Amino acid sequence: MNELTGIVVLAAGSSSRLGQPKQLLWYKNTSLLKNTIFQASQIPNTTIIVVTGSNHELIQKEIIGPKIKTIFNSDWELGMSSSIVKGLKELLGLNPDIKKVILAVCDQPYLTSIVFENLISEHQKTQKGIVACTYSETLGTPVLFAKKYFNELLQLKGQEGAKKIINRFLEDTIAVPFEKGNIDIDTIEDYNELIS
């Protein structure tokens, strides 16, 4: 039987370089955030938590679906680590026995459900504790962490992201390719290039 997978979507940042909430940018008839949630929702046996922060009210309106739980991170200005910690704590509060979590961001326009499926199947096949996406010669999000790394995640501080843990435990990490995973939206130029 397929065990439950937690998916935490990190959507708390202020998109300061962009000047508007990147979560709400429109691409292919949907917003970047809605696409991330939709793709995650295609995976059976998941529980999905969206962590909001800056622009909470606007972003909250984008989150639809009975399966989706939203949590507001009042410490979002402290950096991505605070959202990872908040999302994982919420997940464990709802599902204390959960064995794995996938961390995803909402500014990868080419994210599909296949990426999530590949992370889960690779974890099941190899039993590696960390399964990360690979693109542009780096390892990054979405990334799956087995339960044994939950404490490491809960101890992240400031601007630290999941990459710190991936780099520390490379011998227990396996990569799955995510074509165009390197394309994310940080500036208006990035967005204009995406939609042109």
Side-chain angles (χ1 to χ4, degrees):
M1 159 143 171
N2 262 350
E3 62 186 24
L4 190 66
T5 302
I7 299 179
V8 174
V9 179
L10 305 166
S14 67
S15 319
S16 56
R17 281 191 285 164
L18 185 68
Q20 57 181 298
K22 67 170 82 172
Q23 300 90 329
L24 307 181
L25 289 176
W26 211 243
Y27 180 62
K28 289 193 173 170
N29 300 320
T30 188
S31 70
L32 292 180
L33 176 59
K34 269 189 181 161
N35 178 61
T36 303
I37 293 170
F38 174 76
Q39 301 301 335
S41 302
Q42 302 309 296
I43 310 303
N45 215 12
T46 56
T47 180
I48 300 167
I49 292 172
V50 180
V51 184
T52 66
S54 180
N55 302 298
H56 168 72
E57 290 79 12
L58 277 175
I59 288 161
Q60 179 81 31
K61 290 179 189 154
E62 286 291 287
I63 301 167
I64 40 173
K67 271 178 66 176
I68 316 302
K69 170 99 173 114
T70 311
I71 177 116
F72 173 64
N73 174 19
S74 56
D75 295 325
W76 64 268
E77 289 177 89
L78 298 177
M80 187 181 277
S81 64
S82 66
S83 292
I84 293 172
V85 170
K86 191 94 176 171
L88 183 53
K89 279 184 175 168
E90 182 70 13
L91 181 67
L92 288 167
L94 295 169
N95 308 278
D97 298 327
I98 201 148
K99 301 276 198 310
K100 57 187 179 299
V101 63
I102 294 173
L103 301 177
V105 293
C106 58
D107 66 344
Q108 291 176 304
Y110 294 101
L111 181 63
T112 64
S113 58
I114 293 163
V115 175
F116 290 116
E117 284 168 9
N118 290 346
L119 291 171
I120 294 166
S121 64
E122 199 63 26
H123 171 64
Q124 288 167 339
K125 196 166 70 191
T126 65
Q127 293 300 302
K128 289 279 190 183
I130 302 172
V131 188
C133 288
T134 178
Y135 37 82
S136 298
E137 297 176 17
T138 189
L139 296 169
T141 54
V143 54
L144 180 150
F145 288 96
K147 189 178 185 112
K148 63 178 166 179
Y149 292 110
F150 286 4
N151 276 340
E152 301 282 342
L153 288 166
L154 292 170
Q155 284 163 25
L156 287 171
K157 297 266 189 296
Q159 297 301 325
E160 294 173 348
K163 192 171 276 195
K164 178 184 176 186
I165 299 168
I166 297 171
N167 289 336
R168 198 186 314 155
F169 298 101
L170 283 172
E171 75 292 339
D172 193 28
T173 300
I174 192 155
V176 297
F178 173 9
E179 194 183 349
K180 295 189 178 171
N182 60 310
I183 295 171
D184 60 7
I185 309 301
D186 287 321
T187 65
I188 199 71
E189 289 77 18
D190 293 341
Y191 181 54
N192 289 338
E193 202 169 299
L194 175 71
I195 58 176
S196 60

